[in-house]
């Protein structure tokens, strides 16, 4: 690649980088305190539906091996 | 001032602006905010199934939406479809190339896909009497690190050629190419509403993309090495990443920054994979040191460990019903824990 092509490429790349940074600079941001509160609320509300958090009773566990019954 | 210097000046100015904007909203940290939340219980899970069948390292696994079937990929050159409840193998799909790195189950359950060092994503139909290749998606110029179906007609891929792509499966063509990473793309995760996805790459960044128009909307820095694993939180506002720098991090999309880091002075192994429990409170992260650590995502504390594999844990997955966690390893076994 000629050095003129190389520098044209570099300029094009730099232009794209600046364009991308402009997009990212212009977004709206919320406070971390609000983001954290929303996340804690989400986890709190959904905790009761989380089997790995709440534990799974043996009778409802599809992966628990069913032991054979013995009649005494 | 030359054009290059001008643009460098503008770029530096914008970076400073972004940092300042992030700082301005950083009125607390996640750990400080979650101090009042009750700690997650100590989590002790047992191995319920050890799935034996692969003859070489397992590189990837993915649950089907029925939370019962799953697909695993190994460098023995096979995809195996398992019924996790019975532990039986339902299907074995021989691969043209044994150097597989990723696999995915379509939400419909009709298709699976895989890819790796062949630079292609191959889509298979599981519902024909004999499993058939539907399409070979061939356009990436680097390895296929990750793939995820949006539907039976569209799939997203992440490649070592530093791009991600959205494909139309029927035509076999790329509809959209996502260009911005400067390192190999290693992982991707689709948002719950499927309008955006997040990618992690060897440039140590995570990027948020608009699925339809291909634009990169946000970039998240913080890791100091390859980002190997990434997952959207189920609320769609938060993302968790895992890296070769031995840490996992949570980034909030609306605050546009890292809000917590999951790390331990004694942890010296890279993170290979991660999965979240259905509420998001628990995160299961697989490491190079053969373990899978369980983290309380809100408090940033380790609450358990899954030990049992004899080699690196390469993949982890929690099914949609959240009833278990599956780990896959270079030791050739998959384990189901709950």
């Amino acid at each position: 690649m000629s050095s003129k092509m190389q520098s044209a490429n570099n300029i094009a790349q730099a232009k794209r980088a600046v364009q991308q940074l402009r997009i990212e600079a212009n977004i709206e941001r919320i406070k971390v305190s609000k983001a954290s509160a929303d996340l804690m609320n989400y986890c709190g509300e959904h905790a009761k539906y989380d089997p790995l958090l709440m534990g799974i009773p043996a009778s409802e566990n599809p992966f628990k091996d069913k032991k054979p019954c013995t009649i005494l | 001032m030359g054009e290059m210097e001008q643009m460098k000046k503008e770029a530096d100015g914008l970076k400073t602006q972004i940092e300042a904007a992030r700082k301005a909203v950083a009125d607390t940290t996640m750990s400080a905010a979650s101090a009042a939340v009750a700690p997650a219980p100590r989590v002790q899970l047992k191995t319920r199934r050890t799935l034996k069948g692969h003859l070489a390292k397992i590189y990837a696994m993915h649950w089907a939406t029925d939370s019962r079937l799953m697909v695993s990929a190994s460098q023995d050159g096979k995809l195996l479809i398992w019924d996790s409840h019975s532990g039986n193998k339902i299907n074995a799909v021989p691969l043209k190339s044994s150097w597989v790195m990723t696999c995915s189950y379509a939400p419909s359950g009709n298709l699976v896909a895989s890819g790796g060092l062949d630079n292609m994503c191959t889509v298979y139909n599981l519902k024909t009497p004999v499993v058939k290749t539907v399409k070979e998606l061939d356009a990436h110029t680097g390895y296929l690190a990750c793939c995820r179906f949006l539907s039976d007609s569209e799939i997203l891929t992440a490649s070592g050629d530093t791009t991600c792509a959205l494909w139309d499966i029927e035509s076999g063509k790329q509809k959209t190419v996502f260009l911005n990473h400067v390192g190999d793309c290693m992982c991707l995760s689709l948002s719950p509403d499927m309008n955006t996805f997040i990618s992690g790459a060897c440039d140590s960044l995570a990027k948020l993309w608009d699925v339809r128009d291909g634009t990169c909307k946000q970039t998240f820095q913080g890791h100091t090495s390859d980002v190997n694993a990434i997952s959207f939180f189920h609320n769609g506002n938060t993302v968790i990443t895992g890296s070769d720098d031995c840490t996992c991090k949570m980034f909030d999309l609306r605050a546009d920054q890292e809000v917590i880091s999951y790390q331990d002075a004694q942890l010296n192994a890279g993170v290979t994979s991660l999965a979240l429990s259905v509420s998001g409170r628990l995160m299961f992260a697989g490491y190079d040191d053969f373990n899978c650590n369980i983290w309380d995502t809100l408090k940033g504390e380790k609450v358990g460990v899954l030990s049992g594999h004899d080699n690196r844990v390469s993949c982890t997955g929690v099914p949609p019903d959240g009833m278990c966690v599956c780990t896959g390893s270079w030791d050739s076994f998959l384990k189901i824990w709950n």
Side-chain angles (χ1 to χ4, degrees):
Chain A
M1 192 183 290
S2 75
S3 75
K4 275 223 161 86
M5 269 183 83
Q6 180 77 306
S7 54
N9 258 353
N10 288 343
I11 291 187
Q13 236 174 350
K15 275 201 173 124
R16 278 197 297 269
V18 166
Q19 252 172 325
Q20 181 58 36
L21 285 167
R22 281 194 197 132
I23 294 174
E24 294 181 16
N26 283 333
I27 64 166
E28 295 273 318
R29 293 171 181 85
I30 68 166
K31 289 208 189 296
V32 174
S33 53
K34 164 114 176 74
S36 311
D38 286 353
L39 197 60
M40 293 188 297
N41 275 341
Y42 183 89
C43 288
E45 277 167 16
H46 291 82
K48 54 183 176 287
Y49 305 117
D50 189 338
L52 292 170
L53 194 59
M54 303 274 84
I56 306 170
S59 54
E60 287 164 35
N61 189 348
F63 301 104
K64 184 101 184 150
D65 281 315
K66 292 179 178 56
K67 293 200 164 57
C69 294
T70 15
I71 302 184
L72 298 164
Chain B
M1 197 185 282
E3 205 176 350
M4 273 305 278
E5 282 106 73
Q6 225 168 348
M7 282 192 289
K8 182 163 192 326
K9 191 163 179 242
E10 189 172 356
D12 288 342
L14 288 164
K15 284 179 191 167
T16 308
Q17 199 185 312
I18 292 172
E19 273 327 294
R22 283 174 175 160
K23 251 205 162 106
V25 296
D27 56 345
T28 185
T29 62
M30 183 60 159
S31 322
S34 67
V37 173
R42 184 96 204 141
V43 183
Q44 277 165 318
L45 306 182
K46 297 202 174 100
T47 304
R48 301 293 179 187
R49 299 274 184 279
T50 297
L51 303 178
K52 303 180 193 196
H54 280 302
L55 304 170
K57 295 175 175 171
I58 291 172
Y59 273 78
M61 63 80 46
H62 194 218
W63 283 98
T65 47
D66 69 2
S67 296
R68 182 172 179 140
L69 298 180
M70 41 178 255
V71 60
S72 60
S74 161
Q75 293 202 345
D76 61 5
K78 289 220 167 35
L79 292 184
L80 290 178
I81 313 292
W82 305 84
D83 173 337
S84 62
H85 290 187
S86 64
N88 293 336
K89 293 179 252 315
I90 306 295
N91 252 317
V93 183
L95 303 173
K96 256 189 190 172
S97 161
S98 63
W99 304 112
V100 65
M101 295 173 68
T102 181
C103 60
S104 177
Y105 224 121
S108 64
N110 296 330
L111 310 172
V112 287
S114 68
L117 295 183
D118 58 359
N119 297 0
M120 295 196 303
C121 179
T122 309
V123 179
Y124 306 88
N125 187 338
L126 295 178
K127 301 297 186 177
T128 42
V130 175
V131 174
K132 272 175 67 178
T133 300
V134 168
K135 213 74 185 186
E136 285 176 343
L137 306 174
D138 191 1
H140 279 302
T141 54
Y143 58 83
L144 201 81
C146 189
C147 59
R148 285 291 177 260
F149 282 94
L150 278 78
S151 66
D152 280 3
S153 52
E154 289 180 313
I155 191 166
L156 271 169
T157 55
S159 168
D161 67 10
T162 79
T163 73
C164 294
L166 174 70
W167 302 75
D168 174 84
I169 296 173
E170 200 180 353
S171 68
K173 300 265 181 286
Q174 292 182 327
K175 284 164 106 157
T176 316
V177 182
F178 303 88
L179 301 162
N180 211 264
H181 278 297
V182 295
D184 303 11
C185 293
M186 297 303 294
C187 51
L188 72 91
S189 174
L190 199 52
S191 65
D193 69 7
M194 306 224 285
N195 291 327
T196 57
F197 76 95
I198 193 109
S199 61
C202 292
D203 56 13
S204 75
L205 304 172
K207 285 179 182 284
L208 179 74
W209 308 87
D210 182 306
V211 171
R212 298 298 152 198
D213 69 23
T215 53
C216 171
K217 293 156 66 109
Q218 284 172 260
T219 299
F220 300 95
Q221 301 137 310
H223 282 298
T224 51
S225 187
D226 306 357
V227 177
N228 298 319
I230 200 159
S231 180
F232 252 101
F233 217 84
H234 306 290
N235 67 359
N237 292 329
T238 334
V239 152
I240 302 204
T241 53
S243 165
D244 270 350
D245 68 10
C246 312
T247 74
C248 293
K249 289 177 188 295
M250 178 192 278
F251 293 94
D252 188 280
L253 302 184
R254 296 178 304 163
D256 187 42
Q257 58 191 277
E258 176 185 330
V259 292
I260 201 167
S261 190
Y262 307 94
Q263 56 194 79
D264 194 297
Q266 282 135 1
L267 267 178
N268 284 323
V271 179
T272 60
S273 52
L274 67 91
L276 293 167
S277 70
V278 295
S279 69
R281 185 65 193 268
L282 299 175
M283 188 240 307
F284 301 90
Y287 291 74
D288 287 342
D289 68 1
F290 311 177
N291 288 329
C292 179
N293 289 314
I294 311 175
W295 295 88
D296 174 339
T297 54
L298 298 182
K299 288 184 173 290
E301 294 161 357
K302 223 176 84 166
V303 294
V305 65
L306 303 176
S307 307
H309 283 293
D310 296 322
N311 206 324
R312 177 184 292 198
V313 173
S314 55
C315 48
T316 22
V318 171
D321 68 2
M323 289 295 278
C324 67
V325 53
C326 177
T327 52
S329 166
W330 279 9
D331 68 8
S332 82
F333 303 122
L334 295 145
K335 285 182 184 286
I336 307 240
W337 313 73
N338 71 13

